[in-house]
Amino acid sequence: MRRSLISGLVLAVFAALVIGLGQFFGLDLQPVALLGAALGGVLGLVPHRFPLGKLGGFVLGFVVAWVGYALRAAVLPDAPAGRAVAVFVVVAVIAGCCALSAGRVPVWSALLGAVAIAGAYEEIYTNAPSQFLKESPTAATTVLFAAALGYLATTLVGEREEQVVATEGEQERGRHVRRADDDAPTTNAMDHLLVGESK
């Protein structure tokens, strides 16, 4: 409960910071602030055996979905059939790459990456498909910046919480060891009495 509250508050601060930094750097981050920070927060909060694997999965999904938009703009017709083919190819490539990684790259993180670019760019693409080369880099940069701050926020909180848990665990083990040491003389005395020896 405590970790959820702290993570949420830190993430909220960073999400607001995204907008402030966007104004400072002249970037329009307001439309993607919540999307990027939330996706980055999820990426940081969900545990995985290979931390670099989940980051790699996010990048993989992001790039594959971005290439999917390039295919839609250059090759596929701007119709439901073209969009269906693009979605199928993106998800199939993501699933295949994650399967080849033998569990090191989780599917969920790759799907988060695909959602990031889709959420930031889909509406822009729909309004102007011919502007892919001009508009997509801006959308990609802004949502990645927001996601990076969200990931940083939850990762910092997670590492702090792990340190606290580890410290508490060490203290608890120390108490058990001290109790065992305190009980040891009594146990030894009882052993001597049972075998009829005197100290």
Side-chain angles (χ1 to χ4, degrees), residues 84-184:
V85 170
V87 169
F88 175 82
V89 169
V90 167
V91 176
V93 170
I94 287 174
C97 291
C98 292
L100 290 174
S101 74
R104 290 179 175 81
V105 177
V107 176
W108 63 264
S109 69
L111 292 177
L112 283 181
V115 168
I117 185 63
Y121 183 58
E122 177 64 33
E123 184 177 356
I124 299 172
Y125 176 84
T126 302
N127 293 333
S130 62
Q131 299 297 312
F132 171 78
L133 292 177
K134 179 181 178 181
E135 301 289 349
S136 66
T138 303
T141 302
T142 53
V143 75
L144 281 177
F145 181 73
L149 286 180
Y151 178 78
L152 178 64
T154 52
T155 301
L156 290 176
V157 172
E159 290 179 354
R160 174 62 182 163
E161 288 294 316
E162 288 176 2
Q163 291 174 357
V164 170
V165 171
T167 302
E168 291 176 349
E170 291 174 0
Q171 292 174 348
E172 186 64 26
R173 283 192 294 273
R175 284 194 290 269
H176 285 306
V177 170
R178 285 194 295 273
R179 289 196 200 103
D181 291 341
D182 292 341
D183 293 341

Side-chain angles (χ1 to χ4, degrees), residues 20-39:
L21 289 175
Q23 292 179 337
F24 180 77
F25 290 113
L27 300 173
D28 186 17
L29 296 177
Q30 295 183 38
V32 298
L34 180 58
L35 172 68
L39 292 176

